[in-house]
Amino acid sequence: MSLKCVVDLGIPDAIHRRGGTATLADIATDTGVHPAKIADLRRLMELLSSSGMFTVTDGESSTAVYGLTTACRFLVGYLNLSPIVPFFVNPFVVSSFFSLCDWLKSEPETAGSLFELAHGHSLNVLNNSMVADNELFLEVIILDKGRIFRGLSSLVDVGGGSGAGARVIARAFPRMKCTVLDLPHVVEQATGGGDSNLQFVAGDMFESIPPANAVFLKNVLHEWSDEDCVKILQRCKEAIPTRNAGGKVIIVDMVRGSAYGDSKISEVEVLQNMFMMYVNGVERGERDWKNIFSDAGFGGDCKIMPILGPLSVIEIYP
């Protein structure tokens, strides 16, 4: 909630505009905090400094100067993750976990997801915050693992939403035909953004996927059970040519344990795995993924390439 507050106030941007450091008085002036609340602003900044979002010098003085850590710099600039913060503390999502005790005692068939038990209906409006996530991480993937897209003449981004991720790919590889597949009500609100090699198709990934050299799934499969993942991947396999003809499925998702003992990343993994309970999702390790790929009819050979923290790019082949 403190992080949401500083994002809502625009504190990271305010510090960034001042060259990377600012006093409490500077921050209050630039963000509209009432002068009588500066002591309370200090408490907010102390918490976020202790958790690694800001640096602080002369912290016991009224002249304390705050700066941006590497983590906080993800909240400023052209491609920033600040829109994601409100989603993780969205009242509907957070309040779902107040029903966790009842959900754990209930029959799976009757309770549905944790969100459904708490609110009586499914989560049917996914976050616009994923636009920021898609843009930033696709830029990183293209810079670090861009070879996975080279040589492809066509790609389908399954569950690609508004097309933020596919648009980054389409602009980086202008000769590639990019298609975004999503549900009709999502596609109706999407725009091509002027990219001639980007199109949107309304459909259901459980029914069929448009044919292409490759199918792209970013943060899709972790929202579904193993059985549903198998069904989705079977439709992916039907949509692509053989491996010899260049067919493959590209997955961007968490692979638990890939950081080999990094305690901070391990903490992120267990937190995210717990968080995904709100939609009956799950974060998986390498063995879990390989079992799913095998059940979906893919060969035993797969490539798992870590990119950021616990996130990896996975390539599988028919």
Side-chain angles (χ1 to χ4, degrees):
M1 294 306 299
S2 296
L3 184 60
K4 179 181 184 298
C5 180
V6 301
V7 167
D8 290 346
L9 287 170
I11 289 176
D13 283 323
I15 296 175
H16 183 61
R17 286 194 300 268
R18 285 184 174 267
T21 58
T23 65
L24 280 175
D26 293 335
I27 294 169
T29 298
D30 293 351
T31 60
V33 172
H34 194 283
K37 300 288 180 66
I38 288 183
D40 301 303
L41 177 63
R42 176 193 292 278
R43 288 199 283 183
L44 178 70
M45 296 301 290
E46 283 176 347
L47 172 61
L48 291 170
S49 297
S50 67
S51 64
M53 292 305 297
F54 297 101
T55 62
V56 59
T57 56
D58 198 15
E60 299 300 321
S61 166
S62 59
T63 59
V65 176
Y66 295 90
L68 305 177
T69 63
T70 300
C72 196
R73 289 186 182 277
F74 280 98
L75 301 178
V76 299
Y78 164 56
L79 290 178
N80 72 79
L81 296 176
S82 59
I84 294 177
V85 176
F87 169 70
F88 281 109
V89 291
N90 181 287
F92 287 103
V93 174
V94 173
S95 61
S96 299
F97 287 90
F98 297 155
S99 301
L100 181 57
C101 181
D102 293 335
W103 183 80
L104 288 170
K105 295 179 180 180
S106 62
E107 291 283 345
E109 294 77 12
T110 57
S113 69
L114 188 56
F115 188 94
E116 289 172 303
L117 178 64
H119 302 295
H121 57 83
S122 61
L123 183 66
N124 55 15
V125 180
L126 269 185
N127 43 77
N128 291 330
S129 66
M130 291 303 103
V131 171
D133 171 78
N134 282 331
E135 289 177 335
L136 176 61
F137 282 97
L138 259 299
E139 293 279 2
V140 171
I141 291 168
I142 288 170
L143 283 172
D144 189 39
K145 310 291 182 187
R147 62 187 179 277
I148 65 175
F149 299 112
R150 295 193 186 107
L152 297 176
S153 60
S154 58
L155 176 142
V156 178
D157 183 1
V158 173
S162 65
R167 190 169 293 113
V168 174
I169 298 172
R171 291 175 180 173
F173 300 93
R175 296 183 180 179
M176 184 194 303
K177 177 185 175 183
C178 295
T179 301
V180 175
L181 173 74
D182 217 312
L183 295 171
H185 72 274
V186 177
V187 170
E188 285 175 5
Q189 300 176 15
T191 58
D195 300 286
S196 60
N197 60 328
L198 177 63
Q199 65 176 356
F200 291 82
V201 173
D204 184 340
M205 62 186 174
F206 287 98
E207 298 295 330
S208 66
I209 294 171
N213 286 149
V215 174
F216 183 68
L217 296 153
K218 180 182 180 297
N219 288 347
V220 172
L221 298 180
H222 73 157
E223 296 183 359
W224 299 95
S225 68
D226 290 1
E227 294 77 12
D228 284 335
C229 287
V230 168
K231 293 175 185 176
I232 295 167
L233 290 173
Q234 286 172 338
R235 301 292 83 74
C236 292
K237 187 180 178 184
E238 294 168 357
I240 59 177
T242 64
R243 180 174 185 175
N244 290 339
K248 62 181 177 181
V249 177
I250 303 169
I251 300 164
V252 179
D253 229 314
M254 181 180 291
V255 179
R256 296 186 62 183
S258 59
Y260 304 113
D262 186 307
S263 60
K264 286 292 185 182
I265 293 178
S266 296
E267 183 180 4
V268 171
E269 291 174 357
V270 295
L271 284 169
Q272 181 68 11
N273 194 35
M274 186 73 183
F275 182 77
M276 289 306 298
M277 288 174 66
Y278 85 102
V279 288
N280 280 355
V282 62
E283 303 295 353
R284 300 175 171 94
E286 181 175 343
R287 180 178 296 179
D288 304 316
W289 282 117
K290 288 184 175 180
N291 288 339
I292 290 171
F293 302 153
S294 176
D295 290 346
F298 285 82
D301 183 24
C302 73
K303 294 181 182 177
I304 298 177
M305 298 163 278
I307 44 170
L308 280 177
L311 285 178
S312 292
V313 174
I314 309 171
E315 284 187 337
I316 58 175
Y317 316 95

